[in-house]
Amino acid sequence: MKKQTAGIHHITAIVGHPQENVDFYAGVLGLRLVKRTINFDDPGTYHLYFGDEGGNPGTIITFFPWANAKQGQIGDGQVGVTSYAVPVGTMSFWEKRLTDFDIAFDKMVRFDETTLQFEDPHGLRLEIVEREQGEENGWSFGGVTKEVAIKGFAGATLLSQSPEETAAILTDVMGLTYSKTEEDYTRFIAPGSIGNVIDVKMTTGVQGTLGVGTVHHIAWRANDDEDHFAWQESVRSNGIPVTEVRDRNYFKALYFKEPGQILFEIATDPPGFAHDESVETMGTALKLPEQYEQRRQALEEKLIPIEVRDITK
C-alpha cells in the first residue's frame, strides 16, 4: 500500500541576525518561540523553532540564524514561498498589522484564494491565506490574539529544477493528491488539516543558492518511529537514496533530495518539544542535547543574546 504523509511537519530556513528573527516571527507574526537550541551540526549557531501554543507539527518554522552571512538566492531547488493559514475573516487584521509595521505586501489571488505576500527582514518569502481548516492557535502575544492568530502552515510553493518529476514524487512517493492547475502552478493536497496544500511551479527559472533568506529544507510528517522506518524503506524502494535515521531530540529525521533538487526531510511527530521542558516554559531556556551539555558555558558565551519582546510597546 502506498504511503501517505499528513502534510508538512516543519520548514527550516537560513536567516541573519537572531534578534531580528525573533522580533519578526514572535513580535510581528505573533508566533510562539517554542524552542531555543543549537544547530547540532554547527553548535555555535542557534536553532530556533517558532509555532503555535503547543509547538504542534504543521505549525513549526525553524531557523539557522547567521548574523552577517551571505545572502542567498531564492530559486529552483528550493521552497519558494512559505504559506501561513489564518482564521477566515481575519485578513483585514493582517493587512493592518503589516502596514503598521511598514512591511510591504502584495495582495494576490491564486486558486480562488486571496493571499498577502511579503518578505521577512532577511528576504524569506511568506504569504498569509485564510483557511477554514486547522485548529485555533491558543497563543496570544504582542497584539495578536488567539482569534486572529496564525494557525500553522497553509502549505508551501515548491520551485523545482524538474517540476514534472517533483510533481510525481509528491503523488507517487509522498502520497499527495492532484487538485488542480492554474497558469503555471499545479496544486497538490495532503490529508492533514494544516500544512496540507502544496503548489509546484511547473516552469523553471533561476537556480537557487543557499544563504540568508532561503529555505534549507521542507520536512514531512511521519506518525511515529515505526512509520518512520516504513517511510525510509518506501523512499528507498522508489530508487531514491535516503539517509539513516538521525535523532534531532524533538523528532527523528531522515533526508533525501528529490529529482528537482529540493531537500526533503521526513520527521516523526513525537516526542515533540515539551519532553525537556514543560509546555508552559517552552522556549524560555537554551536547551542542549546531552553531547553538548558539558560545553554549555562556552556555547552561551559565543551565542548572540536574544529575547522575546513585545515590539508594539
Side-chain angles (χ1 to χ4, degrees):
M1 181 177 177
K2 184 169 68 174
K3 293 191 66 58
Q4 186 177 50
T5 181
I8 299 170
H9 182 282
H10 67 268
I11 289 174
T12 295
I14 300 168
V15 291
H17 196 284
Q19 187 60 56
E20 294 174 352
N21 178 244
V22 173
D23 283 346
F24 185 81
Y25 286 88
V28 176
L29 295 187
L31 297 173
R32 183 180 185 185
L33 176 59
V34 297
K35 191 65 59 179
R36 59 179 84 193
T37 183
I38 56 170
N39 182 336
F40 291 5
D41 301 318
D42 179 18
T45 303
Y46 282 114
H47 195 173
L48 303 178
Y49 295 72
F50 298 84
D52 71 353
E53 182 180 33
N56 291 301
T59 76
I60 299 295
I61 190 164
T62 95
F63 296 101
F64 302 137
W66 282 300
N68 304 314
K70 182 180 178 181
Q71 194 72 23
Q73 169 70 59
I74 297 173
D76 294 346
Q78 297 176 354
V79 173
V81 182
T82 299
S83 302
Y84 277 117
V86 298
V88 172
T90 64
M91 193 66 82
S92 59
F93 168 86
W94 285 102
E95 287 186 54
K96 183 178 186 302
R97 188 163 181 87
L98 294 177
T99 300
D100 288 346
F101 281 100
D102 296 319
I103 298 167
F105 62 86
D106 292 317
K107 200 170 184 177
M108 309 287 288
V109 176
R110 189 166 78 241
F111 294 110
D112 299 319
E113 292 182 316
T114 299
T115 65
L116 299 181
Q117 299 181 347
F118 55 99
E119 294 182 355
D120 80 355
H122 302 127
L124 198 69
R125 293 179 188 164
L126 307 171
E127 66 181 11
I128 286 174
V129 59
E130 294 181 343
R131 290 273 167 84
E132 290 277 3
Q133 286 185 301
E135 295 182 6
E136 180 184 80
N137 178 2
W139 188 249
S140 296
F141 183 76
V144 180
T145 65
K146 62 183 182 179
E147 290 78 17
V148 299
I150 289 170
K151 297 178 180 183
F153 294 122
T157 300
L158 307 185
L159 307 178
S160 173
Q161 295 181 17
S162 182
E164 294 288 349
E165 290 185 282
T166 297
I169 290 291
L170 290 177
T171 57
D172 299 345
V173 178
M174 304 312 300
L176 277 69
T177 303
Y178 169 81
S179 174
K180 62 186 83 172
T181 297
E182 181 179 287
E183 297 179 350
D184 57 350
Y185 290 91
T186 296
R187 174 160 288 189
F188 301 87
I189 308 292
S193 62
I194 53 173
N196 61 328
V197 179
I198 304 297
D199 294 341
V200 178
K201 189 175 183 182
M202 302 305 295
T203 54
T204 57
V206 64
Q207 171 98 18
T209 57
L210 279 179
V212 171
T214 64
V215 170
H216 185 269
H217 64 267
I218 181 171
W220 308 94
R221 294 175 65 178
N223 298 331
D224 51 30
D225 287 354
E226 182 180 0
D227 188 42
H228 203 224
F229 282 114
W231 271 110
Q232 185 184 50
E233 178 58 32
S234 177
V235 173
R236 283 177 175 161
S237 71
N238 281 275
I240 302 169
V242 61
T243 67
E244 294 304 314
V245 173
R246 299 172 185 175
D247 189 347
R248 298 308 191 190
N249 208 9
Y250 309 107
F251 48 85
K252 301 287 181 60
L254 54 85
Y255 304 85
F256 64 96
K257 271 199 174 177
E258 55 80 41
Q261 296 304 299
I262 304 166
L263 181 58
F264 279 8
E265 175 183 341
I266 300 176
T268 57
D269 282 0
F273 297 100
H275 75 87
D276 60 355
E277 54 186 336
S278 69
V279 172
E280 293 74 22
T281 62
M282 284 193 309
T284 58
L286 179 67
K287 307 305 292 185
L288 299 177
E290 185 177 349
Q291 65 268 31
Y292 289 113
E293 193 59 54
Q294 63 184 2
R295 296 171 55 187
R296 175 175 287 275
Q297 182 175 346
L299 290 171
E300 288 181 338
E301 289 174 356
K302 183 176 181 179
L303 293 167
I304 298 171
I306 57 172
E307 61 176 327
V308 177
R309 54 193 184 185
D310 184 348
I311 60 176
T312 63
K313 295 179 180 179

